[in-house]
Amino acid sequence: MAQSERGRNDSGDHQYEEVSLIGKGAYGVVYKGRDLKNEGQYVAMKLIRIQNTEEGMPMSAIREISLLKQLEAYEHPNIVRLLDVRHTPVLSGEIQLKLVFEFIDQDLTTYLEKCPPPGLGPDRIKDLMYQLISGVDFLHSNRIIHRDLKPQNVLISSDGQLKLADFGLARVYGFQMALTQVVVTLWYRAPEVILQAQYATPVDMWSCGCIFAELFNRRPLLCGESDIDQLIKIFE
Amino acid sequence: MAIEQVWWQNKLAEDIYATLKLKEQTIPHYNGNSSQLWIRRHLVDWLAVIVTENGICATSQHLAVYLLDYFMDGLEVELSYLHLVALACLLIAVKFEDHCEHIPHISKLNTYIPKTHVCSSRPYTPQQFMYMELNVLKFCSFNLCIPTVPHFLPYFLKVAVDEDDLRDGLPITSKCVVENYLEKHASYFQEIVLQDPVYRKYVPSLVAASCVAAARVCLHLTPTWPKQMELMTDLYLEQLLPCLQSMLATHHQDSVSSSCEQQIMSTNKVDFIHQSTLGSYHSLDSPYNYFPSQTCAPLYHSLDFPLATNQR
């Protein structure tokens, strides 16, 4: 049965066309592309190559896909849409997973860089923060912690809508879950994570706070160079 | 701990409970008419051994069995691939629900394949694992956010014992001690509901509530279903009865047949169950020789374990 699956799923290979490289992440490459079956509308494609390792399918891909899939039904305005998941066999029995997302023009970092002085007005900041918190609140009540909130993972569409993206570190949590795995990019990391203590949903709120400050300053609030330096900056 | 208690009382716990309750209504119907049901109990017990030895959490275990049940319900799997399917379900479940350090390595999983298994001389390759994982994921459309019994049980256990409870008609002396016993009994029932697919016909929150009620019955606590449980679960005792009765029947058989009733009723109940499962595995190399003995649910007694017909 495993064998017969292999040749079958190439139906989608010709639906999406790569246009340009957007970026390279820890476990994949992201392209801007076109959906040829949908009037060539732009999409973002995350390609993940799955090697034959001791781990099997990568945990981050399993989590990202299944979490976004279960949220899809709600069509929450502040969560990025996962449109399609494809997989194709590549050389030497490896598999390439293709995650097709809606295409959003820019992330919050670019948005802030492009913003002319004196920066964002209070109303705009209020609106962005409201959208950010709505998205996070929605995740938390669906028992999901994002665990990697930072401006690079917050997308801003051309009409000013904010969307949370990159669920590679996200996970579900239960009523009694003691999480200790070190997560979140250093500058947005809550002290309990740095100290490797137990943490829960508040770590996302910490990151939101850091982003809030960044909306005003147009530069990151706490740029530690190491764990200890980050802690020192937090307590300063 | 202080943090946890605060977070327990906050609104998020209620939100999560509401989300889980809503979500469990969308669990697809389970037919339970796979022609391979005869081997299900073996696979589930086998997974339980792997779960125990690798410190995998109950939510992963229950999700794995859920995936296995629905996969087998929808597809007939070649016998030589069934163990691979079960392992792939476990791998996916652990990756989704558990801490990342609990993810077992493929080579480790291969060591659990029974010696007499068709593939024992040639372990499953990482590639086979990968494709089987993909098969299972595609089969369930990557839908892994499935509420299971252990998602609800800890929430219910928080209010499962009250100061005013009576034990054998007398006031309880220590709430904390009773809570401890109750938790152990409830997790024992949480474990046995995996053994029989009959529990698939109830939603997980109802099964979890029944685990609490069954534990209270075993500990002679009255009332069996106190008001605070009714309020927390939105379930009445009448609604629990069919599920509760099956559980108590299974438990009764368990304790009669084991002839170690005292041991079962002791605090080490769960450990005992695991040891007995392990014991039967170490003594019997072949899964096909493994008759799910006396500890099983009534269903299996009537099945007569159709060994010969399925090994054709």
Side-chain angles (χ1 to χ4, degrees), chain A residues 175-176, chain B residues 8 13-14 17 151-159 232:
Chain A
F175 294 112
Q176 280 180 323
Chain B
W8 183 255
E14 284 170 37
Y17 180 61
H151 284 126
F152 292 101
L153 193 58
Y155 187 57
F156 294 166
L157 282 174
K158 288 277 169 177
V159 297
M232 177 155 224

Side-chain angles (χ1 to χ4, degrees), chain A residues 2-11 89, chain B residues 131:
Chain A
Q3 308 295 322
S4 64
E5 278 299 334
R6 205 176 300 170
R8 205 189 297 162
N9 205 298
D10 55 359
S11 53
Chain B
Y131 274 99

